[in-house]
Each structure stands twice: as structure tokens, then as C-alpha cells.
Amino acid sequence: MTDKKAKILVVEDDGDVRRAVSLWLAGSGYAVVEAADGREGLDVARREKPDAVLLDLRLPVLDGFEVLAALAREGGEPPPVIVISGQDEIAGVIQAFRMGAADYLQKPIVSFDLLGHALGAVLERRMLSQAVRLAEMRYFNLVQNLPLLVFVLDASGNLAFINKFCRTLLGYSRGEALTEQDWLLTRVHPDDRQRVEALLRRGFSPRERARTEECRLLHKNGATIHALLRAIPSTRPGSDGATAAIEGIVVDITDRVELERFVVQEEKLKTLGAISAEVAHEIRNPLFSIAGFAHRLQARLPENREAAIILSEARRLEDILDRISTYLHPVDLRPRQCALNAIVSAAVDFLAPEFSARGLSVAARLATGLPDLQLDPDLLTQVVTSLLRYAAGHLPEDGQVLLTSSRHARFVHLDVAFAAAAPVPEPELVFLPFLEGEERSGLPLSHRIVKNMGGALTFSQITGEAVFTVQFPLGPLTEPLPPVEDADWDGDEDEPGPAPGEGTA
């Protein structure tokens, strides 16, 4: 829209003045609509949506001040108003400016060039204002719909803005995030919180540059999200010389971390398989010779203790070799569509009497809407049962195991967490078949079952909490991502809010 195509509303009770102004406007290329009093002027403004209004202050029915007040109450963007007044109405002009008038012309109008200049100025300002608002809206919509978290922290460390991706990434609505004190920092994993807090604290220095930190965030359902957090100091200095805000982004890298974990596990298993097979082959031949010699020695000297010890150790070594062979042998799978939550519930119900007899408990936090998986449900039930029994063996009296299922992009997760009475010794060896003991007997088999079903089973032990994590990809990792259904989280719906940078000092 150019000013020559603009529609101008002339509200003037003096017919001669109104006609003169309207004729000049029409001759200048404007579209013109007229009104003879304030009430008619409002009706025409609502109907015709003019681009500017020429308004006399002294009008019948409704005066100019009442028209200004009514236009401001209409909602949306009111058209700019040029007030027409006499020399004795300067106080009224000042009041009109306070009520939103854009300019004023003295009555009688002796120079239509002055009128043309005033109209051109207010129309240009209106056009620029509309362009700025349109750009802000596009920017806001772009930021809101980016597939990454965008946030602004004020000087106190609280959120001044966050986009709606916070629901997708962490399960919280914008309303929940914006109203909670220190929301961002409390979402950081406790073991990473000190590093992230130091990063954000440094960001308020005016000489600090943008920095990135890899960290873990906690989803509302308890799942761990691996992320890159980049803090960008604001360019607007505060009153004390410090940066008034931090603008930042959080990029979800969980898929990358999980894929790296799968690759590393696959390589470790290949290496372990090759080494174990070679070691088993090389040990078996001399082992048979030693065992045969010990048998002959014991036959000749039945009372010889050394021969009995040799035979006992040979049998133990043979048992280890059998476990290695079993560990490396593929599992016979019978996959079909099954629900992870149903399998978890079945395993918990099966072990309920055993846990109850020992004074232990199981808490389940199972996510809704998880897709079915193409797995062997019987073997997966065996895996969950083995993990629960192992956890129970390390719990103190009245201890509890927490089961959490969740979905993140390409993967479905099951976490089996427990606070062990004492740290698990040699946690890096829990899945290997070399160690003896009834409590460990199911873990190597569980690891082998999960691997053969295309998943990963890991164990971590941090600050007193031990966690088994079972992960299964949703289809081949080379295929496109499956759709993610909207989760039915509790909390407020996403509300409109300021764009990044708004609402900060």
C-alpha cells in the first residue's frame, strides 16, 4: 500500500470545510469517506477501515476526545489520527496527543500542502510500524518453531523467554518453564549442574564471548537428554556495566550419543568375540592335557591332594570356557509385536512375592503412548527379571527399584535404577561371562539377548545410584525418523509470549 492509495476518513461537522478537504484529498489521489459527527465517524471507521483519520475536536453527538477513546478501545491497531483544532484549543490538542493523536492541523486549513505533508508522514509511520510488527511476528514464529530450544535468561538467572520446543525436548509447557524459579538450571543433570552454572555465570560478563557446553538435561518423565548448551551474552549492557541478559540455545544430541554408544558397543563385542574365541581355542588344548595328566595321577595316587586341586581348577576353567562359548553364540529369537510397558508390568508382578518377602519395593514410571516393538517378549521378560533380581541383590533393607520407560526420537528406553547399599565392584565387568556368582549369572545372557534383538544394555554408577539402561531403536537406524505423537503432559498450554530479547533490561 502506498500513500496515494490510502483511504482517509474526514470527520468534520462543518459541511463546507469537510467538502473542501475531501475534494483536495480526492484530487491528490486518496480515497475519501466522510462523517458529520462523532457517532457517524465511529460507524464509518468500523465499516471502512480507513488508513488515517482527520478529526475535528468539536463535534456533535460524540466529541473528538470520545472518538479517540473509542478508537483506542476497538482492539487491533487503530488508524493514525490527525486532529483539526482552532488556536484557542491548544490545551485540548495536548490532551488529544496524550490520548494517541499522531499530529494536528490548525483550523482553518490555509495550506493544503501542509495537510499533504502531515498525511504523508503519518501514513509512512504507519507503514513502517506495520512492517516492523510483521517482521517481529515472522521472527517470533520462526523462533517458536525451531527444532531446538531457544531461551533468554535475565540478570537474576530466570527465564525471560523460552520457545515452545521446551515441551518437545523436556516435556514442560512454556507456562511451567517461565513461572518456575531457576527452571533451566534445575533441568540440568546434578552431575553437570556445576559446570553449566559456571558457564551461565561467566556469560553475564560484558567481555565474555559465546561458549558451548555439552551436558545432560532431565526430561519431565525422568529420561536423560544429551544436549549442547550455547550461552550467548547479550550485547545490551546493564547499568553496572554487566550484561543484562543471556540468550542461548540448546541442541538435542541424544541421537548422536546413542548411535555412538551402539557403534562402540558393537566394536567392543566384535573385538571381545574375536579375542575370546581365540583364547578359548588356545586354552582348551593344554587344558585337556593337564586334566588328563591329573586324572592319571589321581588314579595312581588317590590320596594326592595336588591332583584333586588340579582337577577342580581344570573343571572351573572349563566352565568359564563354556560360558564364553555360550555368550558368543547367537540367541534363538521369536520376535513379534509387543508392548514394553506390558512386559515390564509382567516382570514386576512375577517378582512381587519375592520382593515383598525381602521387604523391597518396585516403583514404575511408565510413559504413555510408547510404540510397540518387534521383539521376543519372552526373552525380554527374562532380561527385565534378571535386572530386577540383580538390583534386589544390592539393595539395602526397605530399598526400592525405580523402573522408567520413555521414548526419545529413534529410541525407546527402559531405566532400572536403584540406590545400592554399597558400590558395585568392577561395574565395567558386570556383563562379561568371566565372573562367577549367582547374582551375576543372568547379566551376560541379558546383554547377549538385548544385543541380538538389535538393542543396547548399559550399566552406570554415579553418586550412589546404579542404573541399567535398555535401549531399542524404532526400526533400522538408517531409516527416516518415525513420527512422534504429542505427549499428554500435565501443565498449561503454550501461551504467547515475548520474542527473545523482549522483557529484559
Side-chain angles (χ1 to χ4, degrees):
M1 179 195 75
T2 65
D3 55 354
K4 293 303 181 183
K5 296 180 182 178
K7 182 185 292 185
I8 310 301
L9 169 59
V10 181
V11 187
E12 170 63 61
D13 62 326
D14 188 322
D16 293 335
V17 173
R18 187 173 69 249
R19 281 190 295 274
V21 171
S22 298
L23 285 172
W24 183 88
L25 290 172
S28 299
Y30 292 102
V32 185
V33 287
E34 302 178 14
D37 60 60
R39 176 70 67 190
E40 184 185 0
L42 280 177
D43 292 339
V44 174
R46 290 166 182 150
R47 183 176 67 250
E48 298 291 338
K49 308 294 184 187
D51 298 298
V53 178
L54 296 178
L55 178 66
D56 188 10
L57 289 180
R58 292 182 177 180
L59 291 171
V61 187
L62 292 178
D63 65 20
F65 301 109
E66 292 175 295
V67 173
L68 277 171
L71 288 174
R73 291 195 300 268
E74 289 292 310
E77 181 192 4
V81 176
I82 298 177
V83 167
I84 301 174
S85 70
Q87 288 183 343
D88 59 342
E89 296 176 329
I90 296 302
V93 170
I94 294 173
Q95 181 182 350
F97 273 120
R98 289 173 177 168
M99 296 179 69
D103 203 345
Y104 94 100
L105 294 174
Q106 189 172 310
K107 202 178 198 183
I109 299 175
V110 295
S111 172
F112 283 110
D113 288 339
L114 186 60
L115 171 59
H117 176 76
L119 266 178
V122 298
L123 289 172
E124 184 178 4
R125 284 201 300 270
R126 185 172 196 246
M127 184 175 63
L128 291 175
S129 176
Q130 289 174 335
V132 169
R133 273 193 298 275
L134 179 60
E136 287 178 343
M137 183 176 296
R138 287 174 176 168
Y139 171 61
F140 181 77
N141 289 335
L142 174 64
V143 169
Q144 285 293 356
N145 291 284
L146 285 173
L148 50 85
L149 192 67
V150 181
F151 65 89
V152 177
L153 292 180
D154 61 23
S156 62
N158 291 316
L159 286 172
F161 169 85
I162 192 167
N163 68 341
K164 65 183 182 181
F165 191 70
C166 63
R167 181 185 290 276
T168 303
L169 181 65
L170 297 171
Y172 291 84
S173 71
R174 295 182 64 236
E176 291 174 310
L178 289 168
T179 55
E180 183 178 328
Q181 288 286 107
D182 297 323
W183 179 86
L184 182 63
L185 202 56
T186 57
R187 291 298 91 214
V188 179
H189 192 283
D191 294 328
D192 299 339
R193 196 168 294 161
Q194 186 174 357
R195 285 189 296 110
V196 173
E197 185 176 12
L199 172 75
L200 297 177
R201 192 164 51 245
R202 289 198 305 270
F204 286 105
S205 169
R207 291 181 297 276
E208 184 66 16
R209 57 185 176 84
R211 294 182 181 273
T212 303
E213 190 77 51
E214 184 170 341
C215 63
R216 291 163 293 173
L217 303 176
L218 299 176
H219 195 281
K220 191 175 186 179
N221 65 6
T224 299
I225 308 299
H226 297 268
L228 290 177
L229 189 152
R230 185 165 180 80
I232 308 164
S234 172
T235 56
R236 293 164 297 169
S239 58
D240 57 354
T243 300
I246 292 177
E247 298 168 353
I249 59 173
V250 176
V251 181
D252 183 3
I253 60 169
T254 304
D255 270 355
R256 190 195 78 185
V257 172
E258 304 295 5
L259 286 171
E260 288 177 352
R261 184 180 295 174
F262 268 77
V263 171
V264 169
Q265 176 181 266
E266 190 67 25
E267 291 302 316
K268 285 172 62 178
L269 288 171
K270 286 180 181 178
T271 303
L272 176 63
I275 294 174
S276 300
E278 185 64 25
V279 169
H281 174 73
E282 293 298 327
I283 290 177
R284 223 175 262 281
N285 289 335
L287 178 63
F288 285 154
S289 299
I290 293 171
F293 173 77
H295 272 295
R296 291 193 297 274
L297 182 62
Q298 191 176 46
R300 293 182 182 179
L301 302 170
E303 303 300 324
N304 189 292
R305 293 182 62 254
E306 287 77 2
I309 293 173
I310 293 173
L311 279 175
S312 173
E313 292 302 309
R315 292 191 195 97
R316 191 169 73 86
L317 188 54
E318 182 67 27
D319 182 57
I320 292 174
L321 293 176
D322 288 340
R323 291 205 302 273
I324 293 174
S325 177
T326 302
Y327 179 77
L328 298 174
H329 196 275
V331 178
D332 183 21
L333 300 175
R334 294 178 174 81
R336 62 178 185 271
Q337 290 291 110
C338 57
L340 177 62
N341 287 349
I343 289 172
V344 171
S345 299
V348 171
D349 291 342
F350 175 74
L351 292 177
E354 187 176 320
F355 270 63
S356 179
R358 297 175 55 185
L360 306 176
S361 62
V362 178
R365 192 162 55 192
L366 307 180
T368 59
L370 292 181
D372 288 346
L373 301 171
Q374 187 73 15
L375 303 172
D376 187 321
D378 296 328
L379 289 179
L380 187 54
T381 303
Q382 181 180 339
V383 169
V384 177
T385 302
S386 295
L387 299 181
L388 284 171
R389 279 187 168 143
Y390 182 88
H394 288 78
L395 284 176
E397 188 177 352
D398 298 326
Q400 184 182 73
V401 181
L402 175 61
L403 293 167
T404 305
S405 66
S406 60
R407 173 185 177 177
H408 185 82
R410 295 179 185 270
F411 299 91
V412 171
H413 293 216
L414 173 66
D415 292 327
V416 181
F418 58 98
V424 176
E426 300 179 301
E428 67 279 2
L429 304 179
V430 294
F431 298 120
L432 298 183
F434 311 116
L435 299 177
E436 298 176 296
E438 184 178 351
E439 64 172 11
R440 293 179 184 257
S441 60
L443 296 187
L445 178 59
S446 296
H447 191 269
R448 187 161 59 99
I449 288 172
V450 173
K451 171 189 173 292
N452 278 262
M453 286 194 288
L457 173 58
T458 57
F459 177 75
S460 60
Q461 186 172 237
I462 304 174
T463 61
E465 183 180 59
V467 182
F468 287 106
T469 299
V470 183
Q471 299 165 276
F472 290 107
L474 297 170
L477 297 176
T478 55
E479 291 184 357
L481 281 173
V484 180
E485 299 175 1
D486 291 335
D488 184 19
W489 305 111
D490 293 331
D492 300 333
E493 293 300 317
D494 290 330
E495 313 83 355
E502 294 185 11
T504 58

